[in-house]
Structure formats: structure tokens, C-alpha cells
Amino acid sequence: MSPTQSWDVHRLPDAGGRVFLVTGGNAGIGYFVAEQLSATGATVVLGSRSPARAEVATASIRARVPGARVRAVRLDLADLSSLAPAVQSLKVERLDAVVHNAGVALDDPPRRETREGHELMFGTNHLGHVALTQWLMPLLSAAPAARVVTTGSFAAKSERLDLDDLQSRKDYEPKRSYARSKLAQMYFGLELERRLRAAGSTVASVVVHPGGALDSLTPSRPPIHVRTTGARLSAAPAALLVQGKHAGAWPAVRAVLDPAVRGGQLWGPRVFGLRGGPRRETVWNHLADRSVAARLWDASCDLTGANFSAISGCSGPRAAAGAAPGPKE
């Protein structure tokens, strides 16, 4: 299959027998990733910090996808010490893909922190997924050709990391800190791929972004999301440039399922990177800076205690002992 053609978002290939984990699968883009993957016959696990919301989401998927194999696990990316037990609770022998989708987006000050003392958005969106990847690696390696799919953001295209202030201690602006946390995720996804290849791993790492995805253009999934007639009509002009969250899920779904997708690639919407079917993009110039990616990798390992020694780099006694790292920068 061509990486840019012959892909129908409404007719996905069969994935029966495979197991996928979607973080933040109870709402937003993550919900639609989980719903679409469930239609392939795969087992889909929703990672959510709210068991109640996860139950609503699984019920919604089962109502729309007859015979859906979907369940949920409690997953709180803002609590690094909880991630190893969460992975154990998956109770699977292998994992064919994880979609790193969950995220926190704050609109207003004040600056908030995770329990380990990390800035909330950077700590949840980036560091939480770094630590989770470490614990998932044995399950991913047990699959024939597993994928780590990291969901970034179009907003990260115009941002740059401040490697001396990753936690926004000196200069905090919520929207910028969010975009930088997503940029950090994208750097990590690409650097992970380079280290996986150097280690000869069968796991691949792909980076995606949803373009412009608005609630007002998203089909209703009550009670998860309800779109009023007024919201739909007022958002109609925006549909020329952006799309709903159901379509924002398409790049991640293709990155999980399409055998033509390769590690180290960036996928997003076809039209100006904002809307349309999924296509491969050229990796953004600043994302291609390997020195930044390597420095971020080292900082992320230090901040989380993650141990990726099996794929080179990232080893430390804290991760090996299973201890939760303290706040430091």
C-alpha cells in the first residue's frame, strides 16, 4: 500500500487478535481513536485517570461497534509512581501499539505541578508518556512489529523548546507551555525511533498530529460530547480550514494500522496540515534537530528515572529500583 494513497478512513483493515492501548481514550480525539480502532476487531484498552468516564466511553463504543472488544485501565500520567502498576493491570502478554494521546491543556494561570513537582502540562503530556513507554517496552517488544504512536500538536510547529527552562519555572504562559509540552512529545517520539533502530528493535516509533480539531465540528457522542445545532451552524465556516475530533483521530489510526507507515515518520491531515485525510509530512525543520532531541532525552530520563538501557541511553538506579523520582531540573 502506498504511504499516501489507497487509504480509506471509513474502511479500515482487519486487526483481529491485536491489542492496542490508547491513553486518554475516554474523551476527545483519544475517544475517536479508540472507537475507530475497535471497529477493526482488535482489543482496545482505554487508559484513563477516571474510571467513571472510562466506563461511559466503553459503553459508547460498544453501542456503536457491535462486538467491540474494549475495556479500560486506570492510568494517571501525572503520577509517575502509579504507571508500573497500571501496566501490570493490563494483563496482556503483548501490546501491538500504544497511542500516546492523553494530555492536559490549561488556559489560565496559575502554574500547577504534578505530585512529583513537575509543571503539570510538561509532566503529564511529556514526562508521563516517557515513563509509561519504559514500562510498556517489554510488552511492545513481545509483539511482532509493535508501534509507539505519539500524538503531538500543530501548535508545536511554531514553538521552540527552552532546554534551560523545560518546566516553565522562569517564564510561564499556559498556551505556550502546552505547545512546548507537545513539541517535547514529538521530539521524544523521533528520538525513540533512532534509538530503537540502533538497538535493532522490532518496535517502531511514529509521530502524528491532528491538525485543527474543534468540538463544534465533532459529531455527538452523548454523554461524552454533545454538539448542539447552534454550535454546528456557527462552526460551519471554520470547516473550510479545520475539522472535528473524529477526523483529528485519523493520522493516529493510520499510524497504528497501515503497514506502509514507517518509524521516524510524521503524519498529519492532508490539507495544509489542518484538515483532511491522513498523509505523511516532511519532519518539521526544528524537529529534525538531533542535538535538541538528545538533550531532551537525557533531561527526560533524569526527571522521570526512566530506564531505556536495553535500547541505549537512559539508565539509572532510581528506575531500576522502581522508585519515584523527586522534583529536579
Side-chain angles (χ1 to χ4, degrees):
M1 181 180 293
S2 166
T4 57
Q5 297 177 352
S6 303
W7 182 263
D8 186 342
V9 298
H10 302 297
R11 298 184 64 183
L12 300 175
D14 179 80
R18 297 166 71 185
V19 182
F20 305 136
L21 170 65
V22 182
T23 72
N26 62 283
I29 291 171
Y31 169 83
F32 285 98
V33 171
E35 184 183 279
Q36 291 166 29
L37 289 176
S38 293
T40 68
T43 295
V44 179
V45 184
L46 281 61
S48 171
R49 65 176 179 266
S50 170
R53 292 179 182 177
E55 182 61 30
V56 171
T58 56
S60 176
I61 292 172
R62 287 175 182 143
R64 287 168 174 79
V65 181
R69 297 177 176 88
V70 59
R71 58 186 177 87
V73 296
R74 188 178 185 280
L75 184 66
D76 186 356
L77 292 164
D79 181 1
L80 300 182
S81 65
S82 72
L83 297 181
V87 170
Q88 291 176 346
S89 74
L90 289 173
K91 299 188 185 307
V92 295
E93 295 182 355
R94 74 172 198 274
L95 189 63
D96 294 279
V98 56
V99 180
H100 289 330
N101 164 84
V104 174
L106 302 180
D107 294 324
D108 302 299
R111 180 182 178 278
R112 295 167 57 188
E113 293 186 345
T114 67
R115 61 173 292 176
E116 284 94 3
H118 304 306
E119 189 277 314
L120 184 62
M121 291 181 283
F122 181 76
T124 304
N125 305 352
H126 173 60
L127 295 180
H129 282 116
V130 171
L132 177 63
T133 302
Q134 171 208 201
W135 297 117
L136 289 176
M137 196 54 67
L139 294 177
L140 292 164
S141 298
R147 293 181 180 178
V148 178
V149 178
T150 299
T151 305
S153 170
F154 189 78
K157 193 170 188 177
S158 58
E159 272 300 338
R160 301 296 184 272
L161 290 183
D162 182 348
L163 290 167
D164 296 319
D165 189 25
L166 289 171
Q167 308 251 27
S168 304
R169 297 186 191 278
K170 302 172 187 174
D171 186 15
Y172 177 71
E173 196 285 313
K175 286 184 171 56
R176 182 179 59 210
S177 294
Y178 169 78
R180 288 180 175 179
S181 74
K182 301 302 287 184
L183 178 59
Q185 280 189 267
M186 298 171 85
Y187 270 117
F188 175 77
L190 294 173
E191 182 66 14
L192 176 63
E193 170 63 19
R194 285 188 281 267
R195 293 175 186 248
L196 288 167
R197 296 288 66 74
S201 174
T202 58
V203 182
S205 177
V206 185
V207 176
V208 303
H209 73 86
L214 303 182
D215 280 331
S216 55
L217 294 172
T218 303
S220 290
R221 292 292 188 271
I224 300 168
H225 166 69
V226 178
R227 180 176 62 164
T228 65
T229 301
R232 178 175 57 83
L233 293 175
S234 63
L240 296 173
L241 293 175
V242 293
Q243 58 194 354
K245 293 186 175 179
H246 63 301
W250 291 341
V253 170
R254 184 166 186 176
V256 169
L257 296 173
D258 188 351
V261 172
R262 296 287 181 265
Q265 294 179 347
L266 172 64
W267 287 75
R270 181 176 305 280
V271 184
F272 304 120
L274 290 171
R275 64 179 301 272
R279 71 162 182 180
R280 182 183 174 186
E281 295 184 19
T282 301
V283 174
W284 304 337
N285 287 339
H286 57 305
L287 271 179
D289 190 330
R290 296 191 178 194
S291 64
V292 172
R295 289 179 61 189
L296 175 66
W297 178 280
D298 290 342
S300 301
C301 288
D302 185 53
L303 290 165
T304 61
N307 187 341
F308 288 99
S309 56
I311 60 169
S312 80
C314 264
S315 60
R318 289 176 296 163
K328 57 187 264 186
E329 189 154 16

